[in-house]
Amino acid sequence: MLRLRNVSRHIGGIRAVDDVSLDIPPGRITGLIGPNGAGKTTIVNLITGMMPLTAGSIHLGGTDITRAPAHRICRAGLARTFQNMRLMADETVIDNVMIGFHRHDRCALPAALLNLPSARRMTATLRRRAAAMIAEFGMERFAGFPAGGLSYGHQRRVEIMRALASDPAFLLLDEPIAGMNDVEADALAAIFRRLAAEGRGILLIEHDMRFVASLCDHVHVLDGGRLIAGGRPAEVLRDPAVIAAYLGG
Amino acid sequence: MGQWIIAYTPLVDLFLLHLGFAYAQYIVLRAGVFSLATAGLAGIGAYTAGVLAVKLGAHPALGVAAATLAGSGAALVLSLPLARLRGVYQAIATVAFVQIVYSVNLWAEPVTGGAMGLNNIPRTAGTGVLAVAALGTLYLVWAMERTRLGRAFNAIRQDEAMAATLGVDIVRHQALAFALSGAIAGLFGALEAYHAYALDPGQFAFPFLIAILSYVILGGRNSVAGPLIGTAILIILPELARPLAENRMLIYGVMLILVINFLPRGIADSLILAWRARRLARPEPAAGEP
Ligand SMILES: Nc1ncnc2c1ncn2[C@@H]1O[C@H](COP(=O)(O)OP(=O)(O)OP(=O)(O)O)[C@@H](O)[C@H]1O
Ligand SMILES: [Mg+2]
């Protein structure tokens, strides 16, 4: 369980996130929705250690990760994608995915410095695993292409592969289908379902309500940094407070 | 043939020495640290070896080992405050470091010879030794690039926050890059000492910093071939004509400004990218493919 308790983040005078408590259970896809500027991305930044909390606590299983540095949080089993994609634009798709394996990229320091056989075996293994993942996402043809030249939809998939490469227990997806067509989105939905079935907990941030409703059995609604509703998608979307928030009320 | 070799040996030696310094600079830039400390670290290595040789009559192998350790030790210590700084602030802090090394060398006259420099260092490093050291360094840089270290350095340089969320320990990797850079700078500083008979503090001051930086910026910061190309061009160019040689630093300065403006990636990286772009014109998605 990924557990947020009374989490706040004030930026200047703005309460970007204000007293948010929510649970992200393993094996399920939890939705997080809300109008632009609601604080969804800020919550992901707080969980992943990219930004310090103003108040509150975050626990991953039994571990307190409230003030842990970002690389430790990754090693504790958490991965994310970025809404404003952050790929290495000049590097190939396979190299972008390979850096995602960093957590498992192990060999002794002398072997790494001199590229001794154990280091070479490691590189070959990771390259194979990255290639397999790229094939699974239907992108074999693009493996050797610079990521910056790909379409939005393809770049989003590279982001997801890179996050998955660390084999996270919890995956935070910040608008993973933005810029994709329905066929691409459906393919990803199938992958997300499978990841949840494997026991991973997923936090899904999306503006596409149909997509959220089809994947999540629990949705949280954020507005102005505060949680204003939570429950089954169908109920939440009928909630007058939620409708008012989306209409800019 | 024999005459040719004798005529060009000093140039080859200079090239091999400066190739080492160029790679010391390259390693930190590649790991995303904007450090200009290489000249100072080389100075520490050179004086460590020189003082050991002149004052204590130490064996050159001991001098080289001590200089390498001193260089990497100083770099590790320097990496601690630098880890809190970024970009241009790292550059300013490391320029100050180079100045401190220079000042200490002037001030510690009884040990370093002060402004008079250190003389009568036995000349034990010939072309062969320099070539072995340069090739070893080249191999190290090339090999490291292909392992977890190269992958992590790459990610840190391009997007530090992204690298951190992928589990890369930024401070540790940058400290390692720093220590390696310091070891290489210290080693080649020692070789400089054992090659040149004499050292003076001005050798490792601001003009040297500019020269080292020019090699890497001109050649390219992100591929192993970069420093090789940059150093070769900038060492050979002034030798083509006497007026060029007399204005070496002027040429380096002008070159630096031109390259930053018109070829910011440097020669090697620009060539590699152009070549890759030609080979991989963007693929046409097949019909029906999203
Ligand atoms: N680094 C920052 N500096 C200043 N303000 C920020 C920063 N990050 C976020 N904010 C502010 O915090 C609030 C929440 O922003 P956030 O990006 O989390 O919203 P969001 O729900 O992800 O919106 P969107 O749907 O547009 O992605 C906004 O008012 C935003 O302007
Ligand atoms: Mg957002």
Side-chain angles (χ1 to χ4, degrees):
Chain A
M1 188 79 91
L2 180 59
R3 209 183 286 271
L4 279 67
R5 283 298 171 268
N6 309 103
V7 169
S8 295
R9 168 70 201 191
H10 302 171
I11 302 168
I14 304 169
R15 298 180 167 207
V17 173
D18 194 16
D19 199 27
V20 167
S21 297
L22 60 83
D23 291 340
I24 301 165
R28 281 174 200 280
I29 306 176
T30 304
L32 180 61
I33 63 172
N36 292 113
K40 305 181 295 295
T41 298
T42 306
I43 286 185
V44 174
N45 288 340
L46 293 172
I47 298 175
T48 53
M50 293 184 73
M51 210 185 235
L53 282 70
T54 306
S57 68
I58 304 174
H59 284 78
L60 200 162
T63 321
D64 185 350
I65 57 165
T66 311
R67 261 169 279 279
H71 67 272
R72 289 257 173 71
I73 294 176
C74 167
R75 287 175 203 177
L78 220 137
R80 71 171 293 177
T81 63
F82 294 92
Q83 177 179 359
N84 55 339
M85 291 177 281
R86 292 172 89 154
L87 296 173
M88 300 185 285
D90 290 337
E91 313 232 353
T92 60
V93 167
I94 195 159
D95 284 341
N96 268 281
V97 175
M98 274 178 79
I99 186 65
F101 285 101
H102 182 79
R103 215 181 128 195
H104 312 291
D105 199 351
R106 293 248 170 78
C107 63
L109 185 61
L113 285 173
L114 299 171
N115 199 18
L116 300 181
S118 65
R120 278 182 225 171
R121 276 196 301 275
M122 192 50 157
T123 304
T125 306
L126 295 185
R127 191 163 283 280
R128 252 197 325 275
R129 288 174 66 183
M133 188 181 273
I134 291 169
E136 195 184 323
F137 276 74
M139 283 185 59
E140 303 97 310
R141 294 188 305 122
F142 300 94
F145 286 82
L150 300 176
S151 71
Y152 253 50
H154 283 124
Q155 290 195 35
R156 292 227 176 266
R157 275 187 259 180
V158 178
E159 277 255 341
I160 295 166
M161 289 189 271
R162 186 180 66 185
L164 273 180
S166 71
D167 191 21
F170 291 91
L171 183 60
L172 314 176
L173 301 166
D174 199 351
E175 307 199 12
I177 64 161
M180 285 190 186
N181 62 32
D182 287 353
V183 180
E184 289 175 302
D186 287 345
L188 273 188
I191 288 173
F192 296 160
R193 279 200 192 90
R194 203 200 63 217
L195 293 171
E198 287 169 7
R200 298 179 214 269
I202 298 179
L203 181 72
L204 174 67
I205 296 175
E206 249 319 318
H207 283 295
D208 183 333
M209 293 307 157
R210 200 182 54 87
F211 190 77
V212 173
S214 74
L215 282 173
C216 306
D217 26 46
H218 198 98
V219 179
H220 298 277
V221 187
L222 201 64
D223 184 33
R226 297 190 72 95
L227 285 177
I228 57 164
R232 305 184 69 81
E235 296 160 14
V236 162
L237 292 175
R238 275 199 306 269
D239 187 325
V242 174
I243 294 167
Y246 271 91
L247 293 175
Chain B
M1 183 69 191
Q3 247 174 352
W4 186 90
I5 289 175
I6 291 165
Y8 285 99
T9 299
L11 196 60
V12 170
D13 291 354
L14 185 69
F15 168 71
L16 293 171
L17 276 169
H18 283 221
L19 191 61
F21 298 128
Y23 278 115
Q25 180 66 57
Y26 167 87
I27 287 179
V28 275
L29 290 181
R30 228 189 104 71
V33 188
F34 195 5
S35 163
L36 303 174
T38 310
L41 297 167
I44 289 176
Y47 270 90
T48 302
V51 168
L52 281 177
V54 173
K55 309 278 174 180
L56 302 173
H59 190 275
L62 184 68
V64 164
T68 308
L69 277 178
S72 70
L76 261 182
V77 171
L78 188 60
S79 80
L80 298 176
L82 279 192
R84 311 169 136 266
L85 306 177
R86 286 294 172 270
V88 71
Y89 296 102
Q90 288 180 330
I92 293 168
T94 48
V95 169
F97 168 75
V98 172
Q99 186 61 34
I100 290 170
V101 172
Y102 173 68
S103 304
V104 168
N105 279 342
L106 276 183
W107 168 77
E109 192 173 336
V111 183
T112 62
M116 298 298 294
L118 206 55
N119 297 302
N120 302 319
I121 303 168
R123 189 175 199 273
T124 38
T127 309
V129 173
L130 299 184
V132 169
L135 281 175
T137 302
L138 193 59
Y139 176 76
L140 180 81
V141 174
W142 178 88
M144 200 169 59
E145 203 110 325
R146 276 148 189 76
T147 69
R148 65 176 167 90
L149 295 175
R151 292 190 275 277
F153 289 158
N154 235 348
I156 294 172
R157 191 189 68 251
Q158 295 183 53
D159 187 342
E160 212 180 283
M162 175 270 288
T165 63
L166 295 172
V168 181
D169 186 338
I170 313 272
V171 174
R172 251 179 84 171
H173 277 88
Q174 291 192 333
L176 175 67
F178 237 110
L180 284 171
S181 167
I184 294 171
L187 166 67
F188 281 82
L191 294 176
E192 170 105 50
Y194 289 126
H195 183 72
Y197 302 107
L199 292 174
D200 86 90
Q203 240 177 302
F204 302 101
F206 195 70
F208 188 48
L209 178 160
I210 296 293
I212 297 172
L213 194 61
S214 307
Y215 303 146
V216 183
I217 301 290
L218 173 65
R221 302 185 282 290
N222 301 329
S223 57
V224 181
L228 192 66
I229 293 172
T231 309
I233 291 176
L234 287 177
I235 291 290
I236 293 168
L237 195 66
E239 302 302 323
L240 297 180
R242 178 123 212 135
L244 292 179
E246 283 162 1
N247 297 298
R248 186 184 281 267
M249 285 321 298
L250 179 69
I251 296 173
Y252 286 9
V254 170
M255 184 76 90
L256 204 51
I257 292 170
L258 288 178
V259 170
I260 288 169
N261 273 292
F262 299 110
L263 198 65
R265 291 173 192 274
I267 295 172
D269 299 348
S270 300
L271 285 177
I272 289 170
L273 280 179
W275 174 77
R276 219 171 49 185
R278 259 187 44 184
R279 200 171 55 105
L280 303 170
R282 206 187 142 188
E284 289 298 319
E289 165 88 10

